[in-house]
Amino acid sequence: MTIRLFAAALLAATALPASALAGTVASPDGRISVTVDADEEGKPFYEVMRDGKVLIARSQLGFNFTDEDPLRRNLAITGETTDSADTRWEQPWGERQFVTDRHNELAVTFAEKDDTPRGFTLRMRVFDDGIGFRYEFADRADHPVTNIAEELTEFTIAPEGTAWWIPAGDWNRYEYLYSNTPIEGVSMAHTPITMRLEDGTHLSFHEAALVDYSGMWLQRLQDRRFRAHLAPSSRGAKVVRTGAFHTPWRSIRIADDAAGLVENDLELNLNEPNKLGDVSWFEPAKYIGIWWGMISNRWTWAQGDRHGATTERTKDYIDFAAKNGFRGVLVEGWDYGWDGIWFGNGRDFSFTKAYPDFDLEGLAAYAKEKGVHLIGHHETGGNIANYEAQLADAMALYGRLGVDVVKTGYVADAGGIISCNADIALPCEGQVMEWHDGQRQVQHHLRVVEEAAKNRVAVNPHEPVKDTGLRRTYPNWVAREGARGMEYNAWGPFNNGPDHEPTLVYTRMLAGPMDFTPGVLSLKGDKDVPLASTLAKQLGLYLAIYSPIQMAADFIESLAEHPRELEFIRAVPADWAESHLIAGEVGDYAIFARKDRNSEDWYVGGVNDATAREVALDFDFLTPGKMYKATIWKDGEGATYETEARHRIAYDNRTVKAGDSMSIWLAPGGGAAIRLQPLD
Ligand code: NOJ
Ligand code: CA
């Protein structure tokens, strides 16, 4: 049901700032208010107040172009409209089934004072837990193509605080460990970037609905003043658009605490509704794969004695999946192209031709017989020219075989995506290089997602563009990497330190689902390097890091050696009716309570950093009057990620009800997982 309330009265009641037409719009609860205006020089700006205090000080708006004058001064407001919404919509899958969208909107139109046809409308939406705004450009008959050199949107954070951030514009895309510095210590950062201000207010800056535009990095100019820095393009202009268009939404989550940042649907609400219709063919599920073997160097993607993707091994994995209730089996290295140098090159990849020792058709049929689905893999080496030329055939093949999830990959240094000079004509001659989050690659990802959807295939890109909530519009875009995943642990001892995951929860995970690939129960990578994790933390990850497709990443032999942990992994859902962060602080720890979407079971658990701690868990979320059986997997006495004691785990069973509380000890680098089943 959609209720649309018009907020004109509310706006009329608000005091108007300097210029007669300047507008102010407040959040439904009145705590946040945003002013949009132009100063004496006609420079457009916005300002955000919360609880009567300045949160985002006057911050400029505007654009530079490659072929016309900047649009940043000499502007006046020529019109305003208001609107508001109070709706609830349903997700086909997700962290929660229903999402509430309650906001007030103000759209302010700016035009150049000297009577040119230039200008834009700034559409501002204010929610109780954040704001989003975007620029809208009308069609210009005399200048149909807009060539954006830079977007000049600024964000000046008024109070002091600290930030958790990763660098943008460096070679390793989003795959960095997070830095925690004063806000003044940030250089050029990717979004989402998280901040905690001196009064405890939590902020996250990001964007929503990144479509046909370049990804936004945040560049600190001075003090706590940041400006958009769009990912570059080989074309000169960072964004080229024809006719009327709008930018992605620039979003700021605003919350009193860490939980308010996490239980926040701002970017989803700013995205367009589902364009694909019925997507019930996509089933949130868990999977295993012929993967950790290559990541930890025991097997190879390339052909030869140690080739991972053999027919025989895949059958073993299918059998194990069937026996243990895993829906999916990922197989990498099944297709031609891995034998030479494929990193950042990808010219030899075929997406339809299997290596001779891999019987794709036979295995797809074998899987089907066993009630299992192969999960496909398209590594491109960043060569999207080569991939797009084969895309239709590749997706049709998977569609026909019932391979209904595909993991894609873009292994190339940042800025090393290989595209064609001519945007569409394929195959192409002259190649150009693009960024993983530049406009060209943003277009590419949607092409893949749309082609996949035609064939009822869901997509999970690695080395992707960041998530901006497009899963709402394209619900077959189910997960992605876009941060340092589990794989880094295979490549060196404690490569992802113990605070990595409790930082991801409050940073990268605010963007959307991540294919982090938990479940390395052996706690070992290449040459047996140890993970900075206890065994219980490997289970807690299923609750801390959300994805509708969750891997159990270890070798099947290692999974089988841990029957009690496997019991948890078998049980834990990948789709939720509700999700709440019940305890946690940014970078320290995170404990969630999540309710299964398909039963009355609840799950509680999460991850810890390097500091051991005792956490009090309150079970207020349980249905009052019901008793629940709690099955507990927790860090064993003396467990710590630092030594062999990382393998120590303890099990417990008890009965709990709403109103009870329980104290749980989290080891250094530890975690916990609890299953709560109603008794009758
Ligand atoms: C990097 C991905 O993150 C990893 O999961 C994949 O196995 C390799 N690329 C090869 O595609
Ligand atoms: Ca990767």
Side-chain angles (χ1 to χ4, degrees), residues 173-463:
R173 305 167 304 265
Y174 304 101
E175 297 175 22
Y176 290 92
L177 292 174
Y178 280 79
S179 295
N180 178 207
T181 67
I183 296 173
E184 293 82 352
V186 178
S187 51
M188 178 92 84
H190 275 302
T191 73
I193 175 174
T194 295
M195 295 180 192
R196 183 165 61 209
L197 307 182
E198 53 191 0
D199 69 352
T201 304
H202 286 61
L203 301 178
S204 162
F205 295 82
H206 192 38
E207 58 182 308
L210 170 55
V211 176
D212 205 1
Y213 203 83
S214 273
M216 180 181 74
W217 306 342
L218 281 187
Q219 180 179 14
R220 195 175 63 83
L221 300 177
Q222 65 190 117
D223 303 328
R224 292 186 296 283
R225 179 173 157 233
F226 290 79
R227 191 172 67 201
H229 181 107
L230 300 178
S233 158
S234 66
R235 287 174 296 200
K238 291 180 168 186
V239 175
V240 179
R241 294 293 294 265
T242 303
F245 71 99
H246 55 75
T247 68
W249 296 92
R250 280 60 190 92
S251 58
I252 311 176
R253 294 190 187 189
I254 305 170
D256 290 325
D257 53 21
L261 214 51
V262 171
E263 291 177 49
N264 191 314
D265 299 306
L266 179 64
E267 287 80 12
L268 282 176
N269 275 326
L270 291 168
N271 271 273
E272 300 296 319
N274 179 356
K275 278 193 180 162
L276 301 182
D278 177 23
V279 285
S280 57
W281 51 264
F282 168 68
E283 282 179 44
K286 287 158 291 179
Y287 71 101
I288 54 172
I290 296 181
W291 181 68
W292 194 245
M294 283 86 90
I295 289 296
S296 60
N297 232 345
R298 198 183 294 176
W299 308 330
T300 59
W301 284 282
Q303 298 186 89
D305 294 349
R306 293 190 296 127
H307 187 212
T310 65
T311 300
E312 204 183 335
R313 179 170 292 123
T314 307
K315 279 192 169 161
D316 290 347
Y317 271 69
I318 292 170
D319 292 346
F320 184 89
K323 186 166 160 227
N324 292 288
F326 290 97
R327 183 181 191 272
V329 174
L330 166 72
V331 187
E332 298 197 4
W334 66 275
D335 55 335
Y336 273 91
W338 296 91
D339 298 316
I341 298 168
W342 58 272
F343 270 74
N345 158 342
R347 75 173 69 92
D348 299 325
F349 278 118
S350 161
F351 301 97
T352 50
K353 204 165 164 241
Y355 280 140
D357 56 350
F358 185 81
D359 175 11
L360 176 62
E361 304 258 345
L363 285 165
Y366 184 74
K368 195 170 174 198
E369 224 173 86
K370 300 253 169 177
V372 170
H373 291 247
L374 290 178
I375 295 188
H377 188 232
H378 291 161
E379 174 56 61
T380 67
N383 194 328
I384 63 170
N386 179 46
Y387 186 31
E388 289 185 355
Q390 301 180 53
L391 185 60
D393 291 345
M395 290 298 177
L397 173 66
Y398 275 157
R400 179 169 65 76
L401 296 176
V403 178
D404 54 10
V405 179
V406 60
K407 169 175 169 179
T408 59
Y410 299 89
V411 173
D413 287 355
I417 291 288
I418 300 169
S419 179
C420 302
N421 252 326
D423 208 19
I424 305 288
L426 292 165
C428 61
E429 296 280 308
Q431 73 183 35
V432 292
M433 310 305 285
E434 301 289 355
W435 286 77
H436 281 72
D437 50 355
Q439 185 183 9
R440 177 68 182 85
Q441 182 67 349
V442 165
Q443 292 169 340
H444 168 78
H445 278 290
L446 263 197
R447 260 178 225 179
V448 173
V449 163
E450 283 176 337
E451 192 63 39
K454 276 192 224 160
N455 294 282
R456 297 188 153 206
V457 174
V459 182
N460 166 30
H462 278 230
E463 300 76 44

